[in-house]
Amino acid sequence: MKQEDGMSFRQYAAAAGVSLFSPISRLMPKAVLETAGFSGWMAPLAALPLLLGLVWLTERLLTLEDRKAGLAEALTARLGPWAGRTVGTLLALWLMFYGGVILRSGSERILSTVYPDSGLPLFLGGGLLLSLVFALGKLRWAGRSAFVTLLFFTGILAVVFAAALPALHWEYLWPPELKRWPEIGLGALPAADALSPWVWFSFLRGSVTEDERAFPRAVRGIFLLTVMTVLFLLTTIGDLGPELALRQQFPFYVMIKNLRLLNVLERFDAVIVVLWMMTDYVFLGMLLLSSSTALQHLSGSRRRGPWAVFCAIGMLLAAVFSAGSAFRLAWLSERMIPAANLCLVFVMLPVIAFFPPRKEKSRFSKKGVDKRKR
Amino acid sequence: MRKGLALFLAVFCLLGGCADRAPFGNHREIDQLVLVQTLGVDRSDGLFTVTVSTAAEKGQVLLKTPAVTLSRAMKEMQYYTEKKYIFYGHTRHLLLGPSVLRDGFTRCLEFVERDGELRMDTKLYAVRDGTAEDAVAVPGSGEESVGDLLDSLEKDVALLSESHVFTCAETAEALAERGSVLVSAVRLAEPENILDGERTLLSAGYAIIADGTLAGWLDTDLARGANLLLGLSDSDQIEAPDGQGGWFSAALTGSRASYQPEYTEGEMTGLRIRMELQCTLSELQQPLDLREENMVRALETGIADVEAWRVSEVLHISQELEADFCGLEKMVRRAAPMRFDGMKTPWRERFPTLPIVVEISVKLARAYEGSIEPLPGVERAAE
């Protein structure tokens, strides 16, 4: 018997968790420092209610009767076929553009930090190929590889934190400017924004095995991610200082360049930067999977593969033509994308979540025959 | 699946840069590299002169290049090494000559920030009296490189609290945060100090950088006062009058400072700096009966007076230059963050005219051997 393609909720959560380290390292700590000053390391804690609310809203959005649907299906069920398809297609196009910027941004980063003598096409092509391999295979393969990457990546993070925490300058972090609590509260927005792109993976939720404990697991995942992000911010701001971190384009990588492990190992920044690229590729692969699944569902197509190739081409075009230089790309990546993501995730999707789903037509005819098998 | 795996591995090998003709262009074997340990920068006639020194194990390499920019100077340096690539990624020390401290200090820091090879945790030094080139070339062809000397000096200055070596990251952060900073200063040893013929570097206190340029110097004596304010003074040797017409010496074993700002109607009206020093007695010039409480109190007062003078002098210079180079702002804020953040006049404007009182209490608790008295006939050389 042919096994149905899908991934477990654990694999789905692992893929989401790994992917998020791509926007975290791209946007943090700059985004929170700009808003909340040196107390910005507390911003992810302030963002926790927003993120937990988002988990609840996403669950609500995807719940159709008593089952979980993919985001594309949920959109058509809640907005009607035409509006749902239009919004779904626009979101898929948005994911292609988003993926393109991620691809370009990751490639620019590795060029500027490790291989300044190399060329952009190599990393654009290589990154896209890796992500395409991730997206073209079965979902459970993607899930497994994301899970393995998560384990591997957690080890890398542990090494980075172990090397960075003893060298922290606590005076850069403490005492927090509690008088600026409105700014710290406002810092919750960029923090929540950086931690929210997992919502786009909801296009795959229809292919994720039903799990009764999905909600508590998602909540636990958000807590863990928040703790990781706080540690990420503490080490970066605490090592470089808030002013210096704000001046850098990639403060986390500058911080890693300074690290020494037990006074024996140093200059392992290139290895970490290259390994960190894995998070970009998993993120890109997940965006590719999400956008192609959305287009497959909305077009009623049976195969996802051609749509994945179509989306990959779209992402490549976006990567090449979205910005003329790394300076322009920084504006797109640090300003335009987060702002658009914030509006879509925290305004549009919650509004749609409150649209009642239309009654699903029964799968069975009056004679009890399964219509899908006809 | 197999096709996918093969493609994955092929792309990964390509990205790994293992192949001889990898498309990345910067793959080099370790034996093709010249690892720079110390970098010196001077400036004259609008040109930067970069001097580099490598480790001494395989014979120290010293190179010098003048150029319009630091980047050009560092690249031009490649001409002078045969078939080897000068790699700056392990540079540990950066020495800036007085000419750069006056004009080009922030440019050098920005260069370290921006450069892909140099690191922000590179230790930063200011060269007093001379050039960075002289300082980098100081060990000549000896068995030690200037990097080894500076590593050793960094530990030595902590013994007498004559300075503290900050990294480029710490300096850049302080400069961005408060506009002024202290940089550990070094000088070439005077010929009469050198017994074994080997030239060396000595501590020269601190260089004061304010608004991106050299604003003055703190000699080693005042550097001790600055270190007390910075909370970096855990070891020192203090000489003070004993109150009986002679001198004594005590070793500092610990210090703690607390800052008590006074506020009136949302304005800071004064600052009281309280310091507690722990010392042990090292030397006496003349016999003293230390079982007498008053005698010990007199010694403690002697130490307190010396240190209060150092700290007050540093604060005086700081206020006169309108440069909070010791970072008092952070420490004062920590005492009462809410009141500090609510101040009507910003710290930078308030600091230059802020009345500051320094109170130092000393605890002279013990001596390694307290009962030993000086032998008869000890001269009064310390005066």
Side-chain angles (χ1 to χ4, degrees), chain B residues 93-172:
Chain B
H93 312 280
L94 173 62
L95 290 103
L96 303 180
S99 50
V100 177
L101 296 173
R102 284 188 203 99
D103 176 21
F105 179 79
T106 47
R107 210 168 137 187
C108 282
L109 268 188
E110 277 168 24
F111 178 74
V112 177
E113 275 184 58
R114 217 186 288 273
D115 190 72
E117 285 185 11
L118 290 171
R119 296 190 300 193
M120 289 301 288
D121 70 340
T122 305
K123 301 281 168 65
L124 189 65
Y125 299 85
V127 181
R128 187 172 184 176
D129 307 330
T131 60
E133 182 190 333
D134 292 339
V136 172
V138 79
S141 56
E143 289 177 359
E144 282 188 323
S145 69
V146 64
D148 300 329
L149 287 182
L150 290 169
D151 282 340
S152 164
L153 185 68
E154 186 185 347
K155 291 176 188 136
D156 295 343
V157 292
L159 287 176
L160 286 174
S161 196
E162 289 185 340
S163 188
H164 178 83
V165 186
F166 296 101
T167 64
C168 289
E170 289 164 338
T171 308

